[in-house]
Amino acid sequence: MQLTVLDRPTWEARRDAHEARVDAWIEPHLARRRLGRKHPVEDFLFTYYSYRPAQLRRWHPGAGVELAGSGAEAETVPARRAEAIAWIRDLLVATAARTPHLGCFGLHEWAMVYRQTKDELRHNAWPLRLGPAGTDAVVEGSRIRCSHFDAYRFYTAPARPLNLLQPTRETQTANEQPGCLHANMDLYKHAYKMSPLVPAELIADCFELARDVRTLDMRASPYDLADLGYEPVRIETPDGRARYVEAQRSFAERAAPLRGRLIAECERLLEAVAD
């Protein structure tokens, strides 16, 4: 791996810009946590994923970069990480090669509450827009085709047989497709799994996409989040489904270059292990 040296003013400016960018996301979350308050949209990335706010805030330039005047050596790529990086690369390459499927309409969120009581709902501080019976009717009257295992595994037991696919962890590489909201949200996970070998700015770029995707995910969900300022995308109607597809297509377009950057990082890191 070719060594790059950043002069002190350059790397300090990058570090400061990264910390300021990330602080705008993590400080409201930390304030809510201190008060014991929960937000179903803004807190999700910090509770569902394992990367902690302090880790997201910590700036690093990636492997093969030396910071002049820091006293720290450039990160190298340990051989023990090669298998995980190769798995991420293979998943991303397979996903990028497929045509986006845009007809799921976010029904995974509806299948996660199908036939649940109020106490069983994940976000039971907020009501269901259509009520329990109306929500169940949407699920039963829809063609559900979720390809993402980490969404499917949260389906309620009676909803699972209604899915046209039965995704598993073992079939993830064969099933993942670039129109899937959760596959695009998970670019953040794939990025931080390679930390600190990839630049912190790339992880933050993936976080920003995931944050925006989560907003659509919950606006199209069965929950009524009007009190939090979220206008619903009513996927139970033709107009709402059209709006969802348009937004889903936009996210697929935004995710494509990020997926490409992650693939390039994987290849660079794997070459460094081989060296």
Side-chain angles (χ1 to χ4, degrees):
M1 176 178 287
Q2 184 176 356
L3 180 67
T4 300
V5 179
L6 296 181
D7 61 73
R8 192 176 192 106
T10 297
W11 68 258
E12 286 186 342
R14 283 181 56 182
R15 179 200 61 195
D16 293 348
H18 172 77
E19 290 176 353
R21 179 189 187 190
V22 170
D23 281 345
W25 298 326
I26 67 175
E27 287 181 354
H29 165 70
L30 295 176
R32 283 189 298 271
R33 192 169 72 181
R34 286 192 294 268
L35 295 172
R37 297 175 181 171
K38 297 180 180 179
H39 195 295
V41 180
E42 297 291 344
D43 292 338
F44 177 79
L45 300 184
F46 299 110
T47 56
Y48 176 72
Y49 294 110
S50 62
Y51 212 49
R52 303 275 66 86
Q55 293 174 296
L56 179 61
R57 191 179 191 272
R58 188 174 302 122
W59 181 78
H60 39 80
V65 180
E66 182 177 297
L67 307 178
S70 70
E73 295 183 358
E75 289 282 348
T76 58
V77 185
R80 60 182 169 77
R81 300 192 66 176
E83 183 178 356
I85 294 170
W87 186 90
I88 292 171
R89 178 204 55 194
D90 293 347
L91 174 65
L92 296 176
V93 168
T95 304
R98 298 190 176 101
T99 300
H101 174 73
L102 304 175
C104 69
F105 307 121
L107 285 163
H108 55 276
E109 289 290 340
W110 298 68
M112 292 177 192
V113 303
Y114 181 60
R115 294 189 182 177
Q116 283 193 331
T117 66
K118 185 178 187 302
D119 290 340
E120 293 173 318
L121 296 177
R122 181 184 181 93
H123 304 293
N124 58 17
W126 288 271
L128 299 176
R129 286 193 296 106
L130 305 181
T135 300
D136 291 350
V138 170
V139 174
E140 292 163 358
S142 299
R143 182 175 181 271
I144 308 176
R145 188 183 183 278
C146 180
S147 60
H148 190 73
F149 171 68
D150 282 316
Y152 174 74
R153 68 189 177 97
F154 288 106
Y155 279 28
T156 64
R160 289 186 176 185
L162 304 178
N163 202 57
L164 296 177
L165 302 174
Q166 305 296 307
T168 64
R169 181 68 70 203
E170 291 71 26
T171 61
Q172 186 172 0
T173 299
N175 284 333
E176 208 90 310
Q177 57 92 11
C180 172
L181 290 192
H182 278 256
N184 293 330
M185 196 184 304
D186 276 353
L187 293 179
Y188 169 57
K189 177 176 68 175
H190 302 317
Y192 76 66
K193 288 289 187 181
M194 295 188 285
S195 172
L197 302 177
V198 299
E201 292 94 339
L202 177 54
I203 298 175
D205 288 345
C206 292
F207 180 94
E208 185 170 32
L209 172 66
R211 184 172 180 267
D212 292 343
V213 169
R214 176 61 177 177
T215 300
L216 174 64
D217 207 25
M218 291 306 288
R219 288 180 60 210
S221 79
Y223 292 100
D224 185 350
L225 302 179
D227 287 349
L228 294 175
Y230 295 99
E231 177 191 358
V233 177
R234 303 180 186 278
I235 58 92
E236 69 274 14
T237 69
D239 178 67
R241 293 193 173 204
R243 291 177 62 196
Y244 185 91
V245 168
E246 181 181 357
Q248 192 177 20
R249 181 180 291 110
S250 176
F251 282 128
E253 292 170 355
R254 281 181 59 185
L258 286 176
R259 187 172 284 110
R261 287 166 62 190
L262 286 171
I263 291 170
E265 283 293 317
C266 288
E267 297 289 5
R268 184 177 77 93
L269 297 175
L270 290 171
E271 287 176 6
V273 172
D275 292 341

